[in-house]
Structures are given as C-alpha cells and as structure tokens.
Amino acid sequence: MKGGRNGGAGRPGNASDNVFSLSPRPATVLESPLAGPQLSVLFASWTHEDNMLRHPTPHSPLSPFPPRSRAPRDNVCRAKIRASRHRVSALMDIREIAKRAKVSTATVSRAINRVPTVNPALAKRVWSVVEELGYYPNTQARALVSGRSRIFGLIISEITNPFFPEIVQVFETIAVQHHYEILLTSTANDPKRMESAVRRMIERRVEGVAIMTFGMEEVLLEDLKLRKVPLVFVDVGPPRPRVSNIRIDYLNGIRQAVQHLAALRHEKIAFITGPSRLKSAMARKHAFLSSMQEIGLETEPELVIEGDHTVEGGMAAFSRLLAGPVRPTAVLCSNDMTAIGVMRKSHDAGISIPRDLSVVGFDDIRLAQFMLPPLTSVQMSQPELARLAFHALLSEVERETPSPNGTDYVLKTNLVLRESTALISADSKLAEKRR
C-alpha cells in the first residue's frame, strides 16, 4: 500500500492509482478459516467526503483530480473473490473431511449416506467435521453413486382445498425424520399437469410416489410401473406388484352419521354427492344409500343431488334442494367444503342451523371446528392418511421381493359431533314447508 500525496494514507491499489482518502476509517479484515490467507476480504468504511474523492465529479469542490472509471479494478477484485470461493469449495469435499476426521473416504461416504454398518464412533467423527466445515453433499451425485435419490413424490389434486395441506405437512415431517425429500405436485385435475408431474418425477429418479388424488391416474401408473417405482393410491390401487392401496372405510362413519340424524327424528335426509367421475365420491354415495336402507328409511331420488366438492358447488346444490318438491330437514354432504357451502346458502336464505336444518360434513378438516355453528363431520384423519401413505412407500422400497398383488391398508372413518345438528323442531321453516 503506497502513501498518498501530501502525506495522506492511500487506498489499496497500484502506483498509478491517484485517488486518495484523506481520513479513512480503520479497515476490517475477515479471513476464512478454511482457505487461510488465500481468502481475505477487505472492507473499509468511508465517509461521505471520502466517497466524493473516490468518485469525483467535474463540479466537486473536493475533487482535485479528473474522474476515472473503476470498472477494470472492480472486475479484478471480483475475479479474485470468485477464485477464492472456488478454492474453498474445492476444499470442502469428502477427501478433506476424511483427512480431518482421520478416516478413509469410503467411511465418509458410508457415514454421510447413513449406512448402518459404519462404526458409530467413526460416524460421529465424520459428522462433527461435516458440521464444522458446513459441508453439504451433492445429492444428485450421491444418487448416481448409490442408485437411490431418497426422494418420494407426492401428488395431490388441489392445493387450495383445505383437506390437503395437513396431508402434505405430515408427509413431509415424516419424510424428514427418515432423511427423505418430497417432490410435491398439485394437478388441479388437469391431465397435462399430471403428465408433466410424472415426467419430472422420472427425471428426479423418485423412489416412490403417493397419489392422493382419490382417482386412478392411468398415465402415471403406466409410465412408472415399467420402472418398478412403488406407488400408493387411495381406494383405486390395482392389485399389482409394488402398488399399495389405502382403502377408506366410508361406510363406518357415514352409517354413524345417518343413525345420528335418525335418532334426532330426521326422516327427510338429503345427500349431496361429489363428482360422479370420482370413485371415492360414488363410494360415499353408496355408503349413504346402504345406511338409510339398514334403518328402514326411504331415500327419495329428489334428495340425492350431485355436487363438485367445492363451496360454490355446495351452495348451488342446496339451492336446487330448496327449489325441489321435497324439502329436507337434514343434509349429509360428501365433503366439508360442500357442507360449508350449504351453511352459507342457508344463512343467505334465512334458514337457521341447526334449528331449521341439520348439516353434516365429511373429512373433518381443521376449518370445520371453527364454523358457526361448529360443523358435525365424518372424520377421515388426514394425518393418519399421510402416515399410512409414507410408510407404505417406505415398506415397498425396503422390501426385497414385492407382493404379487400389492398391499392393502384400511383407514376407518368416525363421526365427530359438534353443533350443526339438533333434534328436529316442530316450528322449523323447512318442516313447515314440508307439511
């Protein structure tokens, strides 16, 4: 560092650098413990006047020198910093870790990949150095070497549906506990998006895919079965190797709901279904019809209306019920979003819940308990569904010989009583219109 004119202290630079600071503040030197003196970044604080001297303008009274361009010098500094960073990255590989931990590179590799046969004491030393260096393994390279990506795919139909976020959260939490990542896709029931999701999952070499769309995704099944990728479906899994099917026991919870409404003296019980294209929606409808028949209640065709599992669909379906020849005193819905739509339309029509109308949902999403009144619902536990899906995939990945007909799991449903149902009232608006 050369001295400045008139005895001033100069900035770091070469002999031809004619820009000086009259009173620079003390500089701070930060050195990397990894690269030693090779990586030293100099930071200096400059006053406003200093900046004017460093970047003079033609009309600056403090600038005795003509302005000059700093671009060449800045480019050199940036190049030196990039080179230093490259040297640091080069040091942080398994060879450096092995050297510091005093083990072989093979031991480092096995420890990082959590191979259970590694000596615990050696693994502890390796991870201590890994944390010290802040080393992050290259997961893509590791997948190529080990043949395992440790990635599970998770496909849902609609991320904005409150039913799915808890599934995603629980699935990811369990995945992290088992040192897995998840690749999440929301298809919005769009076949093109599903096709794109399948392609991305194949490219990322996923070890398994959980399909929580409640529908058979033929394109996904056909593309992945040839690659022997384990799959998990809800209700619709075919009997094939490496395919797990989580069967929802819809009948148990819906039977409880129908019997509960009948005990409250409701006879005109309506049912708003989901889309007819969904096997799960039709399974809920059949469970309702079967439960009504079991207790000897007649199901009038006018009281079974198709919805689309949305709030707007619930409002539209209930409007059709109100306009029909038979007025229900209770409505059982294929999901909670439909039930929320019924509650909203009832409010708009001046129908009091539960005095005039009892409403039961299905799914028991978190929002159900915060409705006014709190919504009685058939619970299909989202956390339990996520746990079953993850462990089904993990079991298939670790299974040496797949079951020829796949594996079945069962998730039971149960009624959760809240305040949206009540004993039928003689002065109910709907009861009066029914008479």
Side-chain angles (χ1 to χ4, degrees):
M1 180 177 298
K2 296 197 178 286
R5 294 176 63 184
N6 302 322
R11 285 194 305 112
N14 52 40
S16 62
D17 192 345
N18 292 323
V19 180
F20 298 86
S21 168
L22 298 178
S23 56
R25 295 174 184 170
T28 301
V29 179
L30 302 181
E31 293 190 357
S32 165
L34 302 181
Q38 294 172 334
L39 179 60
S40 298
V41 183
L42 185 64
F43 294 91
S45 299
W46 302 87
T47 63
H48 172 67
E49 290 80 8
D50 297 330
N51 280 324
M52 293 183 68
L53 287 172
R54 295 173 65 206
H55 306 283
T57 62
H59 303 288
S60 172
L62 297 177
S63 177
F65 309 109
R68 68 176 185 83
S69 172
R70 289 171 42 83
R73 177 175 175 77
D74 288 347
N75 290 339
V76 171
C77 290
R78 292 192 187 102
K80 289 181 178 179
I81 291 174
R82 281 196 298 267
S84 298
R85 287 174 179 167
H86 176 74
R87 286 192 293 271
V88 172
S89 298
L91 288 173
M92 291 197 298
D93 60 14
I94 64 172
R95 288 169 295 183
E96 179 64 19
I97 294 171
K99 179 181 176 181
R100 296 194 181 205
K102 296 181 173 59
V103 296
S104 68
T105 55
T107 299
V108 172
S109 178
R110 290 198 300 272
I112 290 176
N113 286 287
R114 301 183 187 275
V115 176
T117 56
V118 178
N119 183 297
L122 296 182
K124 185 177 180 180
R125 275 163 47 189
V126 169
W127 280 107
S128 177
V129 174
V130 166
E131 292 177 4
E132 177 189 342
L133 295 180
Y135 173 74
Y136 295 94
N138 185 323
T139 55
Q140 293 180 342
R142 186 169 62 182
L144 289 174
V145 172
S146 66
R148 297 188 60 182
S149 65
R150 301 199 74 85
I151 299 175
F152 280 151
L154 178 61
I155 299 178
I156 61 176
S157 55
E158 185 56 67
I159 192 64
T160 58
N161 186 331
F163 175 78
F164 289 108
E166 193 165 5
I167 291 177
V168 174
Q169 182 182 37
V170 174
F171 191 95
E172 183 181 28
T173 298
I174 300 174
V176 169
Q177 293 170 353
H178 288 80
H179 311 293
Y180 270 84
E181 299 176 47
I182 68 167
L183 183 59
L184 174 66
T185 293
S186 175
T187 66
N189 299 307
D190 183 349
K192 290 186 177 179
R193 288 182 63 173
M194 172 59 74
E195 184 179 353
S196 173
V198 172
R199 184 172 61 251
R200 285 193 298 117
M201 289 184 179
I202 292 174
E203 291 171 353
R204 293 290 298 275
R205 299 171 181 258
V206 294
E207 294 187 15
V209 181
I211 303 97
M212 301 285 105
T213 59
F214 291 79
M216 172 61 77
E217 307 295 352
E218 293 290 350
V219 60
L220 184 135
L221 186 64
E222 293 303 317
D223 281 351
L224 293 179
K225 73 176 184 180
L226 298 177
R227 294 170 172 80
K228 299 180 180 180
V229 176
L231 304 173
V232 174
F233 290 93
V234 178
D235 284 333
V236 296
R240 296 184 182 179
R242 301 190 184 280
V243 173
S244 299
N245 186 44
I246 302 175
R247 184 173 64 82
I248 310 298
D249 183 2
Y250 298 109
L251 182 60
N252 190 64
I254 290 178
R255 178 190 284 132
Q256 292 176 8
V258 169
Q259 291 178 354
H260 168 65
L261 292 173
L264 297 175
R265 300 183 182 176
H266 292 280
E267 295 180 357
K268 300 297 181 181
I269 305 174
F271 186 76
I272 300 178
T273 76
S276 58
R277 60 181 171 76
L278 286 182
K279 182 179 178 181
S280 59
M282 293 302 97
R284 298 174 201 191
K285 174 184 175 181
H286 294 321
F288 168 77
L289 297 175
S290 175
S291 299
M292 291 285 284
Q293 187 177 16
E294 284 178 0
I295 60 175
L297 286 181
E298 179 185 358
T299 304
E300 301 188 40
E302 296 87 351
L303 294 182
V304 179
I305 301 290
E306 182 174 343
D308 62 2
H309 281 173
T310 67
V311 172
E312 295 79 7
M315 294 178 67
F318 189 57
S319 295
R320 287 155 58 195
L321 284 172
L322 292 177
V326 182
R327 293 291 184 88
T329 60
V331 179
L332 179 56
C333 301
S334 185
N335 78 340
D336 285 344
M337 300 304 288
T338 300
I340 292 171
V342 170
M343 296 176 77
R344 172 56 193 267
K345 184 61 182 178
S346 298
H347 172 77
D348 294 346
I351 298 171
S352 176
I353 297 174
R355 186 192 66 189
D356 299 329
L357 178 72
S358 288
V359 180
V360 179
F362 191 102
D363 286 339
D364 192 32
I365 60 176
R366 284 181 54 82
L367 185 61
Q369 61 187 305
F370 300 108
M371 298 300 298
L372 293 176
L375 177 63
T376 294
S377 183
V378 176
Q379 183 186 72
M380 179 169 63
S381 173
Q382 294 102 61
E384 184 60 24
L385 181 59
R387 280 191 283 269
L388 282 175
F390 182 87
H391 288 296
L393 286 179
L394 191 62
S395 296
E396 286 299 325
V397 167
E398 296 176 347
R399 196 192 306 269
E400 293 184 3
T401 304
S403 173
N405 294 317
T407 309
D408 284 338
Y409 300 84
V410 177
L411 178 63
K412 275 192 171 294
T413 59
N414 294 284
L415 182 65
V416 177
L417 292 176
R418 295 195 181 94
E419 300 173 28
S420 64
T421 56
L423 189 69
I424 191 170
S425 174
D427 59 352
S428 165
K429 291 183 179 180
L430 294 179
E432 291 174 359
K433 291 181 180 179
R434 182 169 57 85
R435 289 195 297 266

